[in-house]
Amino acid sequence: RRWKRRVIQLACPCPGRLVLDVCCGTGDLAMGMAAHGATVMGVDFSERMLEVAERRTASNRIEAPESPPQAQNRPRYIRADAQRLPFPDDSFDIVTGAYGLRNLADWELGLREMRRVAKAHGRVVVLDFGKPDNPIWRKLYFIYLRLFVPCLGRIFCGNAAAYAYILESLQHFPAQHGVAAQMRDLGLTNVRIVSLLGGVMAINYGEKRHDA
């Protein structure tokens, strides 16, 4: 939750801003940004995820800080493919994604789509599992993902496989440095990496040029 709050801080949602949360899952980021007054659209390919997001949103009172108590500002959710977003170019002031890019069949295409639908000067912010630069820390981290995370999944969710896939997905994902390089290739500016826990998690940030 702390890391997602950091994403929201970097995204700077506020009243009047249009936000797209890609691979929104159960709606954490979408609800957090709507609470700052932004108009938020969440998209995900999983209908079950969206059902949970709708229920969570309906059960939470979300208000813009500057609005009167009776005002409601709730995200909208639609089912869509992150690799083929159903929105015109230059549609959103902020485009975010948490723990989704890594799971796409073509993460580069997903990032291109995020950049495409961002407005000029729009912000693209991505949170995902990272790969620590320190080789010793990286090895320990991968051991943790291989041995301990599936056990936690079995204990708390009754499904070890649901968490065992994380390491597999990460092994074929270039993580924070690959995402940053692709952001630069796409012409995003002010590209930077915010490393968390020594690179175990990372936030990639970039802005779309006004002449893009």
Side-chain angles (χ1 to χ4, degrees), residues 113-162:
E113 280 290 276
M114 294 177 73
R115 179 255 183 212
R116 178 184 67 80
V117 299
K119 294 181 180 179
H121 300 295
R123 300 181 176 201
V124 178
V125 190
V126 177
L127 167 66
D128 216 318
F129 286 83
K131 292 181 178 178
D133 293 330
N134 183 293
I136 297 175
W137 183 227
R138 180 187 294 202
K139 185 174 183 178
L140 291 173
Y141 173 47
F142 281 8
I143 290 172
Y144 170 77
L145 289 177
R146 183 172 63 253
L147 299 180
F148 293 99
V149 169
C151 294
L152 295 175
R154 183 181 294 112
I155 293 169
F156 293 104
C157 303
N159 187 351

Side-chain angles (χ1 to χ4, degrees), residues 89-108:
D89 297 355
D90 310 310
S91 295
F92 297 93
D93 301 293
I94 300 165
V95 184
T96 62
Y99 305 115
L101 201 62
R102 182 186 81 260
N103 295 315
L104 299 180
D106 186 341
W107 71 268
E108 292 168 300

Side-chain angles (χ1 to χ4, degrees), residues 16-151:
R17 294 279 176 89
L18 298 178
V19 179
L20 177 67
D21 187 30
V22 179
C23 302
C24 65
T26 58
D28 284 343
L29 277 184
M31 288 189 291
M33 288 184 286
H36 286 76
T39 300
V40 183
M41 173 72 72
V43 300
D44 201 284
F45 197 70
S46 169
E47 291 183 358
R48 293 183 67 184
M49 286 284 194
L50 293 174
E51 289 170 2
V52 175
E54 292 280 9
R55 288 198 301 270
R56 294 184 67 213
T57 298
S59 65
N60 284 277
R61 184 176 180 82
I62 301 172
E63 300 174 358
E66 294 83 2
S67 301
Q70 68 272 16
Q72 294 293 309
N73 196 58
R74 299 184 182 278
R76 292 178 55 210
Y77 301 101
I78 65 169
R79 184 174 183 270
D81 185 350
Q83 299 166 117
R84 192 175 299 173
L85 294 171
F87 307 106
D89 297 355
D90 310 310
S91 295
F92 297 93
D93 301 293
I94 300 165
V95 184
T96 62
Y99 305 115
L101 201 62
R102 182 186 81 260
N103 295 315
L104 299 180
D106 186 341
W107 71 268
E108 292 168 300
L109 176 57
L111 188 60
R112 283 201 301 272
E113 280 290 276
M114 294 177 73
R115 179 255 183 212
R116 178 184 67 80
V117 299
K119 294 181 180 179
H121 300 295
R123 300 181 176 201
V124 178
V125 190
V126 177
L127 167 66
D128 216 318
F129 286 83
K131 292 181 178 178
D133 293 330
N134 183 293
I136 297 175
W137 183 227
R138 180 187 294 202
K139 185 174 183 178
L140 291 173
Y141 173 47
F142 281 8
I143 290 172
Y144 170 77
L145 289 177
R146 183 172 63 253
L147 299 180
F148 293 99
V149 169
C151 294

Side-chain angles (χ1 to χ4, degrees), residues 131-202:
K131 292 181 178 178
D133 293 330
N134 183 293
I136 297 175
W137 183 227
R138 180 187 294 202
K139 185 174 183 178
L140 291 173
Y141 173 47
F142 281 8
I143 290 172
Y144 170 77
L145 289 177
R146 183 172 63 253
L147 299 180
F148 293 99
V149 169
C151 294
L152 295 175
R154 183 181 294 112
I155 293 169
F156 293 104
C157 303
N159 187 351
Y163 289 83
Y165 93 96
I166 292 175
L167 177 58
E168 181 182 352
S169 67
L170 188 57
Q171 287 176 332
H172 302 289
F173 182 61
Q176 57 266 49
H177 294 294
V179 174
Q182 183 66 9
M183 282 184 164
R184 294 187 184 96
D185 288 346
L186 291 173
L188 296 178
T189 61
N190 296 326
V191 173
R192 63 182 187 265
I193 298 170
V194 179
S195 290
L196 306 165
L197 290 181
V200 163
M201 300 287 165

